[in-house]
PDB file of all heavy atoms in Angstrom:
ATOM      1  N   LEU A 155      13.961  37.731  33.205  1.00  0.00           N
ATOM      2  CA  LEU A 155      14.695  38.935  32.806  1.00  0.00           C
ATOM      3  C   LEU A 155      14.571  39.904  33.912  1.00  0.00           C
ATOM      4  O   LEU A 155      15.653  40.512  34.110  1.00  0.00           O
ATOM      5  CB  LEU A 155      13.929  39.541  31.555  1.00  0.00           C
ATOM      6  CG  LEU A 155      14.547  40.814  31.049  1.00  0.00           C
ATOM      7  CD1 LEU A 155      15.980  40.640  30.507  1.00  0.00           C
ATOM      8  CD2 LEU A 155      13.709  41.465  29.904  1.00  0.00           C
ATOM      9  N   ARG A 156      13.520  40.090  34.511  1.00  0.00           N
ATOM     10  CA  ARG A 156      13.447  41.016  35.605  1.00  0.00           C
ATOM     11  C   ARG A 156      14.426  40.662  36.780  1.00  0.00           C
ATOM     12  O   ARG A 156      15.146  41.566  37.309  1.00  0.00           O
ATOM     13  CB  ARG A 156      11.971  41.062  36.249  1.00  0.00           C
ATOM     14  CG  ARG A 156      10.955  41.851  35.350  1.00  0.00           C
ATOM     15  CD  ARG A 156       9.690  42.045  36.093  1.00  0.00           C
ATOM     16  NE  ARG A 156       8.859  40.921  36.112  1.00  0.00           N
ATOM     17  CZ  ARG A 156       7.988  40.452  35.201  1.00  0.00           C
ATOM     18  NH1 ARG A 156       7.899  41.253  34.144  1.00  0.00           N
ATOM     19  NH2 ARG A 156       7.271  39.387  35.330  1.00  0.00           N
ATOM     20  N   ILE A 157      14.494  39.413  37.115  1.00  0.00           N
ATOM     21  CA  ILE A 157      15.444  38.903  38.193  1.00  0.00           C
ATOM     22  C   ILE A 157      16.857  39.098  37.782  1.00  0.00           C
ATOM     23  O   ILE A 157      17.716  39.673  38.546  1.00  0.00           O
ATOM     24  CB  ILE A 157      15.122  37.509  38.549  1.00  0.00           C
ATOM     25  CG1 ILE A 157      13.658  37.279  39.185  1.00  0.00           C
ATOM     26  CG2 ILE A 157      16.239  36.923  39.352  1.00  0.00           C
ATOM     27  CD1 ILE A 157      13.255  35.939  39.143  1.00  0.00           C
ATOM     28  N   ALA A 158      17.166  38.793  36.573  1.00  0.00           N
ATOM     29  CA  ALA A 158      18.562  38.841  35.995  1.00  0.00           C
ATOM     30  C   ALA A 158      19.061  40.318  35.925  1.00  0.00           C
ATOM     31  O   ALA A 158      20.152  40.559  36.366  1.00  0.00           O
ATOM     32  CB  ALA A 158      18.636  38.225  34.645  1.00  0.00           C
ATOM     33  N   ILE A 159      18.205  41.158  35.443  1.00  0.00           N
ATOM     34  CA  ILE A 159      18.701  42.576  35.331  1.00  0.00           C
ATOM     35  C   ILE A 159      18.828  43.164  36.725  1.00  0.00           C
ATOM     36  O   ILE A 159      19.719  44.023  36.974  1.00  0.00           O
ATOM     37  CB  ILE A 159      17.718  43.422  34.365  1.00  0.00           C
ATOM     38  CG1 ILE A 159      18.058  42.834  32.903  1.00  0.00           C
ATOM     39  CG2 ILE A 159      17.982  44.855  34.402  1.00  0.00           C
ATOM     40  CD1 ILE A 159      17.270  43.628  31.817  1.00  0.00           C
ATOM     41  N   LYS A 160      17.929  42.943  37.570  1.00  0.00           N
ATOM     42  CA  LYS A 160      17.941  43.534  38.993  1.00  0.00           C
ATOM     43  C   LYS A 160      19.329  43.092  39.627  1.00  0.00           C
ATOM     44  O   LYS A 160      19.959  43.923  40.260  1.00  0.00           O
ATOM     45  CB  LYS A 160      16.761  43.040  39.790  1.00  0.00           C
ATOM     46  CG  LYS A 160      16.653  43.650  41.240  1.00  0.00           C
ATOM     47  CD  LYS A 160      15.430  43.239  41.845  1.00  0.00           C
ATOM     48  CE  LYS A 160      15.223  43.972  43.258  1.00  0.00           C
ATOM     49  NZ  LYS A 160      16.329  43.664  44.248  1.00  0.00           N
ATOM     50  N   GLU A 161      19.569  41.766  39.438  1.00  0.00           N
ATOM     51  CA  GLU A 161      20.803  41.194  40.074  1.00  0.00           C
ATOM     52  C   GLU A 161      22.074  41.857  39.461  1.00  0.00           C
ATOM     53  O   GLU A 161      23.028  42.110  40.064  1.00  0.00           O
ATOM     54  CB  GLU A 161      20.792  39.726  39.944  1.00  0.00           C
ATOM     55  CG  GLU A 161      21.961  39.004  40.703  1.00  0.00           C
ATOM     56  CD  GLU A 161      21.830  37.519  40.596  1.00  0.00           C
ATOM     57  OE1 GLU A 161      20.910  37.059  41.026  1.00  0.00           O
ATOM     58  OE2 GLU A 161      22.803  36.882  40.066  1.00  0.00           O
ATOM     59  N   LEU A 162      21.894  41.987  38.108  1.00  0.00           N
ATOM     60  CA  LEU A 162      23.123  42.596  37.282  1.00  0.00           C
ATOM     61  C   LEU A 162      23.463  43.972  37.858  1.00  0.00           C
ATOM     62  O   LEU A 162      24.648  44.222  38.011  1.00  0.00           O
ATOM     63  CB  LEU A 162      22.652  42.660  35.904  1.00  0.00           C
ATOM     64  CG  LEU A 162      23.712  43.133  34.843  1.00  0.00           C
ATOM     65  CD1 LEU A 162      24.791  42.040  34.720  1.00  0.00           C
ATOM     66  CD2 LEU A 162      23.043  43.258  33.490  1.00  0.00           C
ATOM     67  N   PHE A 163      22.577  44.848  38.131  1.00  0.00           N
ATOM     68  CA  PHE A 163      22.800  46.194  38.596  1.00  0.00           C
ATOM     69  C   PHE A 163      23.346  46.170  39.989  1.00  0.00           C
ATOM     70  O   PHE A 163      23.994  47.170  40.485  1.00  0.00           O
ATOM     71  CB  PHE A 163      21.600  47.078  38.353  1.00  0.00           C
ATOM     72  CG  PHE A 163      21.469  47.629  36.950  1.00  0.00           C
ATOM     73  CD1 PHE A 163      20.743  46.960  36.017  1.00  0.00           C
ATOM     74  CD2 PHE A 163      22.061  48.839  36.595  1.00  0.00           C
ATOM     75  CE1 PHE A 163      20.606  47.405  34.758  1.00  0.00           C
ATOM     76  CE2 PHE A 163      22.029  49.281  35.323  1.00  0.00           C
ATOM     77  CZ  PHE A 163      21.299  48.614  34.370  1.00  0.00           C
ATOM     78  N   VAL A 164      23.040  45.132  40.759  1.00  0.00           N
ATOM     79  CA  VAL A 164      23.493  45.027  42.101  1.00  0.00           C
ATOM     80  C   VAL A 164      24.922  44.530  42.159  1.00  0.00           C
ATOM     81  O   VAL A 164      25.781  44.981  42.831  1.00  0.00           O
ATOM     82  CB  VAL A 164      22.620  44.016  42.962  1.00  0.00           C
ATOM     83  CG1 VAL A 164      23.240  43.701  44.306  1.00  0.00           C
ATOM     84  CG2 VAL A 164      21.207  44.664  43.119  1.00  0.00           C
ATOM     85  N   LYS A 165      25.305  43.473  41.268  1.00  0.00           N
ATOM     86  CA  LYS A 165      26.530  42.761  41.484  1.00  0.00           C
ATOM     87  C   LYS A 165      27.617  43.340  40.568  1.00  0.00           C
ATOM     88  O   LYS A 165      28.855  43.153  40.860  1.00  0.00           O
ATOM     89  CB  LYS A 165      26.226  41.281  41.201  1.00  0.00           C
ATOM     90  CG  LYS A 165      25.473  40.541  42.330  1.00  0.00           C
ATOM     91  CD  LYS A 165      25.418  39.126  42.030  1.00  0.00           C
ATOM     92  CE  LYS A 165      24.701  38.367  43.122  1.00  0.00           C
ATOM     93  NZ  LYS A 165      24.666  36.944  42.871  1.00  0.00           N
ATOM     94  N   VAL A 166      27.319  43.826  39.325  1.00  0.00           N
ATOM     95  CA  VAL A 166      28.296  44.095  38.350  1.00  0.00           C
ATOM     96  C   VAL A 166      28.542  45.600  38.375  1.00  0.00           C
ATOM     97  O   VAL A 166      27.698  46.467  38.228  1.00  0.00           O
ATOM     98  CB  VAL A 166      27.887  43.723  36.957  1.00  0.00           C
ATOM     99  CG1 VAL A 166      28.893  44.096  35.880  1.00  0.00           C
ATOM    100  CG2 VAL A 166      27.617  42.180  36.853  1.00  0.00           C
ATOM    101  N   THR A 167      29.901  45.929  38.596  1.00  0.00           N
ATOM    102  CA  THR A 167      30.278  47.398  38.640  1.00  0.00           C
ATOM    103  C   THR A 167      30.855  47.776  37.304  1.00  0.00           C
ATOM    104  O   THR A 167      31.027  49.045  37.141  1.00  0.00           O
ATOM    105  CB  THR A 167      31.214  47.580  39.835  1.00  0.00           C
ATOM    106  OG1 THR A 167      32.307  46.650  39.655  1.00  0.00           O
ATOM    107  CG2 THR A 167      30.462  47.404  41.149  1.00  0.00           C
ATOM    108  N   ASP A 168      31.585  46.942  36.556  1.00  0.00           N
ATOM    109  CA  ASP A 168      32.156  47.258  35.344  1.00  0.00           C
ATOM    110  C   ASP A 168      31.024  47.612  34.337  1.00  0.00           C
ATOM    111  O   ASP A 168      30.300  46.752  33.914  1.00  0.00           O
ATOM    112  CB  ASP A 168      32.949  46.141  34.851  1.00  0.00           C
ATOM    113  CG  ASP A 168      33.661  46.396  33.436  1.00  0.00           C
ATOM    114  OD1 ASP A 168      33.359  47.387  32.823  1.00  0.00           O
ATOM    115  OD2 ASP A 168      34.489  45.527  33.051  1.00  0.00           O
ATOM    116  N   PRO A 169      31.045  48.892  33.894  1.00  0.00           N
ATOM    117  CA  PRO A 169      29.897  49.268  32.955  1.00  0.00           C
ATOM    118  C   PRO A 169      29.816  48.542  31.533  1.00  0.00           C
ATOM    119  O   PRO A 169      28.836  48.299  31.058  1.00  0.00           O
ATOM    120  CB  PRO A 169      30.147  50.794  32.697  1.00  0.00           C
ATOM    121  CG  PRO A 169      31.508  51.029  33.091  1.00  0.00           C
ATOM    122  CD  PRO A 169      31.927  50.019  34.110  1.00  0.00           C
ATOM    123  N   ILE A 170      31.110  48.221  31.009  1.00  0.00           N
ATOM    124  CA  ILE A 170      31.142  47.467  29.771  1.00  0.00           C
ATOM    125  C   ILE A 170      30.551  46.047  29.941  1.00  0.00           C
ATOM    126  O   ILE A 170      29.713  45.579  29.243  1.00  0.00           O
ATOM    127  CB  ILE A 170      32.576  47.357  29.287  1.00  0.00           C
ATOM    128  CG1 ILE A 170      33.130  48.762  29.027  1.00  0.00           C
ATOM    129  CG2 ILE A 170      32.714  46.531  27.973  1.00  0.00           C
ATOM    130  CD1 ILE A 170      32.381  49.566  28.057  1.00  0.00           C
ATOM    131  N   GLU A 171      30.986  45.370  31.045  1.00  0.00           N
ATOM    132  CA  GLU A 171      30.410  44.025  31.356  1.00  0.00           C
ATOM    133  C   GLU A 171      28.873  44.079  31.567  1.00  0.00           C
ATOM    134  O   GLU A 171      28.178  43.232  31.148  1.00  0.00           O
ATOM    135  CB  GLU A 171      31.076  43.545  32.601  1.00  0.00           C
ATOM    136  CG  GLU A 171      30.878  42.045  32.841  1.00  0.00           C
ATOM    137  CD  GLU A 171      31.408  41.163  31.836  1.00  0.00           C
ATOM    138  OE1 GLU A 171      32.301  41.521  31.154  1.00  0.00           O
ATOM    139  OE2 GLU A 171      30.880  39.982  31.612  1.00  0.00           O
ATOM    140  N   LEU A 172      28.416  45.177  32.248  1.00  0.00           N
ATOM    141  CA  LEU A 172      27.070  45.346  32.508  1.00  0.00           C
ATOM    142  C   LEU A 172      26.223  45.470  31.156  1.00  0.00           C
ATOM    143  O   LEU A 172      25.266  44.804  30.946  1.00  0.00           O
ATOM    144  CB  LEU A 172      26.821  46.624  33.380  1.00  0.00           C
ATOM    145  CG  LEU A 172      25.369  46.732  33.861  1.00  0.00           C
ATOM    146  CD1 LEU A 172      25.447  47.356  35.348  1.00  0.00           C
ATOM    147  CD2 LEU A 172      24.549  47.640  33.030  1.00  0.00           C
ATOM    148  N   ILE A 173      26.686  46.263  30.289  1.00  0.00           N
ATOM    149  CA  ILE A 173      26.066  46.480  28.985  1.00  0.00           C
ATOM    150  C   ILE A 173      25.995  45.166  28.218  1.00  0.00           C
ATOM    151  O   ILE A 173      24.918  44.816  27.579  1.00  0.00           O
ATOM    152  CB  ILE A 173      26.808  47.541  28.146  1.00  0.00           C
ATOM    153  CG1 ILE A 173      26.620  48.930  28.800  1.00  0.00           C
ATOM    154  CG2 ILE A 173      26.411  47.583  26.712  1.00  0.00           C
ATOM    155  CD1 ILE A 173      27.571  50.065  28.252  1.00  0.00           C
ATOM    156  N   LYS A 174      27.178  44.466  28.180  1.00  0.00           N
ATOM    157  CA  LYS A 174      27.139  43.176  27.501  1.00  0.00           C
ATOM    158  C   LYS A 174      26.121  42.129  27.996  1.00  0.00           C
ATOM    159  O   LYS A 174      25.371  41.516  27.268  1.00  0.00           O
ATOM    160  CB  LYS A 174      28.522  42.546  27.526  1.00  0.00           C
ATOM    161  CG  LYS A 174      29.567  43.318  26.744  1.00  0.00           C
ATOM    162  CD  LYS A 174      30.906  42.526  26.503  1.00  0.00           C
ATOM    163  CE  LYS A 174      31.710  42.303  27.859  1.00  0.00           C
ATOM    164  NZ  LYS A 174      33.045  41.711  27.560  1.00  0.00           N
ATOM    165  N   LYS A 175      26.183  41.994  29.337  1.00  0.00           N
ATOM    166  CA  LYS A 175      25.235  41.053  29.950  1.00  0.00           C
ATOM    167  C   LYS A 175      23.816  41.487  29.772  1.00  0.00           C
ATOM    168  O   LYS A 175      22.916  40.578  29.463  1.00  0.00           O
ATOM    169  CB  LYS A 175      25.549  40.893  31.412  1.00  0.00           C
ATOM    170  CG  LYS A 175      26.692  39.946  31.790  1.00  0.00           C
ATOM    171  CD  LYS A 175      26.244  38.506  31.604  1.00  0.00           C
ATOM    172  CE  LYS A 175      27.312  37.535  31.927  1.00  0.00           C
ATOM    173  NZ  LYS A 175      27.465  37.409  33.379  1.00  0.00           N
ATOM    174  N   LYS A 176      23.543  42.795  29.879  1.00  0.00           N
ATOM    175  CA  LYS A 176      22.160  43.207  29.742  1.00  0.00           C
ATOM    176  C   LYS A 176      21.561  42.916  28.341  1.00  0.00           C
ATOM    177  O   LYS A 176      20.515  42.456  28.125  1.00  0.00           O
ATOM    178  CB  LYS A 176      22.046  44.683  30.052  1.00  0.00           C
ATOM    179  CG  LYS A 176      20.660  45.273  30.031  1.00  0.00           C
ATOM    180  CD  LYS A 176      20.667  46.757  30.527  1.00  0.00           C
ATOM    181  CE  LYS A 176      19.307  47.337  30.467  1.00  0.00           C
ATOM    182  NZ  LYS A 176      18.766  47.661  29.133  1.00  0.00           N
ATOM    183  N   GLU A 177      22.444  43.181  27.390  1.00  0.00           N
ATOM    184  CA  GLU A 177      22.000  42.836  25.945  1.00  0.00           C
ATOM    185  C   GLU A 177      21.698  41.344  25.764  1.00  0.00           C
ATOM    186  O   GLU A 177      20.750  40.967  25.146  1.00  0.00           O
ATOM    187  CB  GLU A 177      23.051  43.334  24.891  1.00  0.00           C
ATOM    188  CG  GLU A 177      22.335  43.165  23.562  1.00  0.00           C
ATOM    189  CD  GLU A 177      23.298  43.477  22.373  1.00  0.00           C
ATOM    190  OE1 GLU A 177      24.372  44.054  22.582  1.00  0.00           O
ATOM    191  OE2 GLU A 177      22.949  43.022  21.256  1.00  0.00           O
ATOM    192  N   ILE A 178      22.649  40.494  26.320  1.00  0.00           N
ATOM    193  CA  ILE A 178      22.375  39.086  26.172  1.00  0.00           C
ATOM    194  C   ILE A 178      21.036  38.706  26.920  1.00  0.00           C
ATOM    195  O   ILE A 178      20.301  37.913  26.167  1.00  0.00           O
ATOM    196  CB  ILE A 178      23.564  38.351  26.880  1.00  0.00           C
ATOM    197  CG1 ILE A 178      24.879  38.568  26.180  1.00  0.00           C
ATOM    198  CG2 ILE A 178      23.278  36.842  27.045  1.00  0.00           C
ATOM    199  CD1 ILE A 178      25.072  37.886  24.822  1.00  0.00           C
ATOM    200  N   TYR A 179      20.811  39.139  28.054  1.00  0.00           N
ATOM    201  CA  TYR A 179      19.601  38.799  28.692  1.00  0.00           C
ATOM    202  C   TYR A 179      18.357  39.241  27.938  1.00  0.00           C
ATOM    203  O   TYR A 179      17.390  38.530  27.684  1.00  0.00           O
ATOM    204  CB  TYR A 179      19.492  39.458  30.063  1.00  0.00           C
ATOM    205  CG  TYR A 179      20.519  39.089  31.091  1.00  0.00           C
ATOM    206  CD1 TYR A 179      20.881  39.911  32.130  1.00  0.00           C
ATOM    207  CD2 TYR A 179      21.019  37.731  31.132  1.00  0.00           C
ATOM    208  CE1 TYR A 179      21.773  39.441  33.135  1.00  0.00           C
ATOM    209  CE2 TYR A 179      21.974  37.389  32.095  1.00  0.00           C
ATOM    210  CZ  TYR A 179      22.282  38.201  33.082  1.00  0.00           C
ATOM    211  OH  TYR A 179      23.222  37.759  34.059  1.00  0.00           O
TER     212      TYR A 179
END
Side-chain angles (χ1 to χ4, degrees):
L155 179 66
R156 284 190 285 272
I157 293 166
I159 288 184
K160 185 174 187 296
E161 188 176 300
L162 186 66
F163 278 89
V164 170
K165 291 186 175 179
V166 177
T167 53
D168 180 349
I170 302 298
E171 191 64 24
L172 190 146
I173 290 166
K174 290 194 291 188
K175 276 286 183 76
K176 184 172 179 288
E177 188 190 344
I178 293 287
Y179 294 153

